[in-house]
Amino acid sequence: MKKVRLTTIMVMAFISLSAMSCKDAKTENSTNSEMITEEDHSKMNHDNSDGHHDVDKKEMAMNGDGNSQTILNDYFNLKDALVADDNAKAKELGATLATSLGKLDISKYTDAQQSELRDIMEDAIEHAEHISESDIKHQREHFKVLSKDVTDMVAITGTKVKLYEQFCPMYDGGTAWLSTKEEVRNPYYGSQMLKCGKVQREIN
């Protein structure tokens, strides 16, 4: 009976994976597996259940528009997860961001801008993917470089909303990130030093 109950719980989290004994790695694996499963389902369910699945997959569906604003939204969700010290949520959102970064439509930009955006996206995707599978300390290290990539992207694509580039002098010799709010909420320290930092410039 115990086995049946355990399998039922695992099936809900790992639909497409066979039940394995992974007590210690359960937390780490569940996030990655859920993301793999969601992506598989989004591919499979395009033909089968257009309307119903779209409600559950609203975030993923929005990523299909190749819009830089979608990337920013996913980035800010990830930032908020790090502010909240939420490792599991940050893993999930890192995977979401990697997907939206890969779908940026660069066709309307000049050749030089397209080349630059390709380099930025390639680097940003790598860091977002690392965030999707790391502990929170490493997530924050990758978020530092990812923030620079997203800032570089905004310099080319622009932004529909006013952004605040904020700066923490304490983290890794000084580190910046983007926010939609002027109020500082530090993603590199979270609850440890939530308000450490300042606005160094406004964008747009």
Side-chain angles (χ1 to χ4, degrees):
M1 291 301 284
K2 271 186 183 175
K3 246 184 182 177
V4 174
R5 228 176 278 133
L6 184 64
T7 307
T8 307
I9 291 165
M10 290 178 104
V11 165
M12 288 165 65
F14 311 95
I15 297 165
S16 64
L17 297 175
S18 51
M20 301 182 294
S21 169
C22 55
K23 289 169 193 151
D24 294 335
K26 191 173 179 186
T27 317
E28 285 183 23
N29 286 342
S30 66
T31 307
N32 291 337
S33 302
E34 282 173 49
M35 291 314 299
I36 292 163
T37 304
E38 281 183 11
E39 285 175 17
D40 289 346
H41 277 185
S42 79
K43 285 172 196 158
M44 291 190 298
N45 286 338
H46 266 303
D47 300 325
N48 299 341
S49 55
D50 280 338
H52 176 69
H53 202 65
D54 283 350
V55 178
D56 298 331
K57 306 230 17 80
K58 195 174 178 188
E59 262 186 51
M60 285 291 196
M62 280 171 57
N63 292 339
D65 63 8
N67 187 337
S68 61
Q69 196 59 48
T70 303
I71 291 171
L72 285 173
N73 291 341
D74 292 342
Y75 168 85
F76 294 130
N77 288 335
L78 172 58
K79 173 190 66 77
D80 291 343
L82 293 174
V83 167
D85 301 316
D86 192 336
N87 176 233
K89 188 73 175 167
K91 282 183 177 181
E92 181 188 322
L93 292 166
T96 301
L97 178 57
T99 302
S100 57
L101 284 162
K103 292 181 177 177
L104 178 68
D105 180 7
I106 62 172
S107 61
K108 62 185 174 185
Y109 300 102
T110 67
D111 289 348
Q113 288 174 327
Q114 286 186 29
S115 175
E116 199 173 339
L117 282 168
R118 269 189 219 101
D119 290 345
I120 292 167
M121 292 304 107
E122 188 180 333
D123 191 61
I125 288 166
E126 187 182 332
H127 289 286
E129 285 173 347
H130 278 296
I131 287 170
S132 76
E133 55 198 28
S134 301
D135 60 56
I136 198 153
K137 181 176 181 288
H138 286 103
Q139 284 177 333
R140 285 171 166 149
E141 289 169 4
H142 288 291
F143 187 73
K144 171 176 180 162
V145 188
L146 181 64
S147 292
K148 185 184 182 316
D149 288 334
V150 172
T151 304
D152 289 345
M153 178 198 79
V154 169
I156 298 170
T157 63
T159 171
K160 291 178 182 174
V161 296
K162 182 189 278 191
L163 304 180
Y164 297 91
E165 185 177 65
Q166 299 178 336
F167 181 80
C168 171
M170 303 278 290
Y171 186 80
D172 195 22
T175 303
W177 71 96
L178 296 176
S179 177
T180 53
K181 294 174 183 154
E182 195 168 0
E183 187 177 28
V184 171
R185 289 289 178 268
N186 192 312
Y188 300 107
Y189 288 112
S191 57
Q192 192 184 345
M193 281 196 282
L194 190 61
K195 298 181 181 179
C196 178
K198 63 177 184 181
V199 173
Q200 65 178 13
R201 71 176 171 128
E202 293 180 11
I203 303 171
N204 198 28

